[in-house]
Amino acid sequence: MGSESGVPKSPGERRISVVQLTWAALAGLVAAHVILAILLFDPKPFVGGDNAGYMILAESLQTGQGYRNIHLPAAPLHSQYPPFYPIILAFVQALGGGLMAFKVLSVLFTTATVVAVFMLGRVRLGWQVGLAIAAPFALNPVLLYYSHWVLSEAPFVLLTLLALWASERMTESNRFFAITLIAGLLAFLTRSAGLPLLVALLLALGWRGLWRQLAVAGGATLAVVVGWWVWGRIAATAGEQVYTGNFLAVNPYDPSLGIIGPGDLLARTVENVRLYSIQVLPESLAGAEAGGMNLLALLAALLIIALALVAWVRDIRKVRVVELFAVLYAALIILWPEVWTDRRFLLPLLPVLLFLAAAGVVWCFQFIRAKRPVWLLPALGLLLVLLAIPGHVRSVRYSRHCMSVYQQGDPLACYPTPWRAFVEAANWVRANTPDDVIVVNRKPRLFYYFSKRRGEVYPFTSDDDAMLAFLDRIAADYVVVAAISGTTFRYLVPVIRSVPDHFELVHVVGDPSAPDAWVLSYRKSAAAAIDPEEAR
């Protein structure tokens, strides 16, 4: 059909209109992501300890104390989390930013990730694939959930996607190779789980015989990975357990179960594959509270896995970074203890699964020698978007209610009762104790964030003498009992009951007849009182 003037449009003009339409659609997806992130925004700190841990490390760096756990009694060196994300937070803090600035930064990271996902799909399979995977990922419940927490998920996923996108073009110029390598190294320095990305890059370079690039990438990877490993060992000797040691535990929260064996590892792998396939992935598509969409989400998840496997098997012979990363990262998360099987660990793999599933659809059409309809992949992406809408509606309603209560002056709005009591206990300790007291509790990082009092988690042991020896060794002044974890009542409360002379109730949170949390002072044992040097 001709134009309004009667003159047909040239192919170049038609291509320009398609490009303009594509970027307009992407801009719409970005806007939708930002709007929904604002509607779901949660101003309070996350109740997990990791977010407080990152802010503590940022405080340590920004105040010139080094990379230390300043919330612990002896402020030892930190070995668990690589430093790149805390460095970013420290920079923001140095500019005067705080919790809200950190949260806005997370929104910026997830917004950029939407663009990176589009770019990954577009560079290999065209703009339809780019939009088809960017649309469901832009409105994905898990990505939006982590858009307002001070956690490493947002920057890690962004860096991973940037590396995967650039890896598709790294043979074209040194610029894309540099982007791939730098983004991969920074992903590893954000989370150690970025190691599969670096291994995938090295394998792809070696397979293609790109020896000069392999030497550069191998040397840089060796320096960064070994450097972090050495730092971890040095920091561990300063008093912190090596983080990767938890991998070998049957259950990191129950040391009595011991170390995992070959049979247990196989059972763990099978169970994690089952959980990720029929529970975690469906919840990642439709939200944890999917309602009537649960069955559709399960079917969609199984279809995505099947199509992704088709594409992976077909393209693995080309030994590209995307396919290698998919299998290596999947192997990593299915080998972790089952108690850590969670949507947050699947999040970096989710856009890759969507990309491979889209590639699987394209290959299926090629296999049957049918012309791929332009509308099919965007339509499938739209169906995945529709899966998440009911969950988003419920989440927005809940979030708006919490924000309304928060704006009315209740900073603990919508915390569950146990967590609210825990935070109120921390606030009481901050207002009623000296700055140098040591407080033992289940979440010492979060407790430090609110109380500015150092402390440590109690050991997971049922041995009363070992518990008392620990309290004496760190010179504990107080212990906090709150129903935020079953381990408190499994390990700490029995000791309080068995040797009540060592503890004195000084504050209760909630109804005195049925408190929600207790603050107890600790009276050191006779041995510690006689020989403080030995106790220390």
Side-chain angles (χ1 to χ4, degrees), residues 437-456:
V437 299
I438 304 299
V439 186
V440 171
N441 61 88
R442 180 60 182 88
K443 294 287 183 177
R445 293 177 296 184
L446 192 65
F447 195 87
Y448 175 87
Y449 175 81
F450 287 102
S451 70
K452 293 303 176 185
R453 301 297 184 268
R454 293 184 177 184
E456 196 163 346

Side-chain angles (χ1 to χ4, degrees), residues 58-73:
E59 177 186 346
S60 179
L61 289 170
Q62 194 267 326
T63 56
Q65 299 178 65
Y67 202 53
R68 294 182 174 275
N69 289 321
I70 57 175
H71 67 287
L72 295 176

Side-chain angles (χ1 to χ4, degrees), residues 195-225:
L195 183 59
L197 178 60
L198 293 173
V199 174
L201 172 61
L202 297 178
L203 290 174
L205 292 173
W207 181 264
R208 298 180 186 184
L210 301 174
W211 307 119
R212 183 176 63 84
Q213 293 178 333
L214 177 62
V216 173
T221 298
L222 186 65
V224 170
V225 173

Side-chain angles (χ1 to χ4, degrees), residues 3-22:
S3 65
E4 292 183 359
S5 64
V7 180
K9 291 184 177 181
S10 69
E13 290 176 320
R14 287 196 294 270
R15 283 197 296 271
I16 292 174
S17 66
V18 169
V19 170
Q20 292 173 337
L21 180 64
T22 300

Side-chain angles (χ1 to χ4, degrees), residues 133-214:
I133 64 177
F137 197 65
L139 305 182
N140 180 260
V142 187
L143 184 68
L144 286 161
Y145 180 76
Y146 286 105
S147 70
H148 53 251
W149 297 132
V150 186
L151 293 167
S152 62
E153 274 69 23
F156 179 71
V157 175
L158 172 59
L159 290 166
T160 299
L161 266 296
L162 282 176
L164 294 177
W165 161 73
S167 74
E168 291 291 308
R169 304 183 63 180
M170 65 180 180
T171 58
E172 298 178 13
S173 71
N174 289 332
R175 179 181 62 179
F176 289 108
F177 166 69
I179 294 174
T180 304
L181 178 59
I182 293 172
L185 292 172
L186 292 179
F188 173 79
L189 289 174
T190 301
R191 297 188 67 173
S192 298
L195 183 59
L197 178 60
L198 293 173
V199 174
L201 172 61
L202 297 178
L203 290 174
L205 292 173
W207 181 264
R208 298 180 186 184
L210 301 174
W211 307 119
R212 183 176 63 84
Q213 293 178 333
L214 177 62

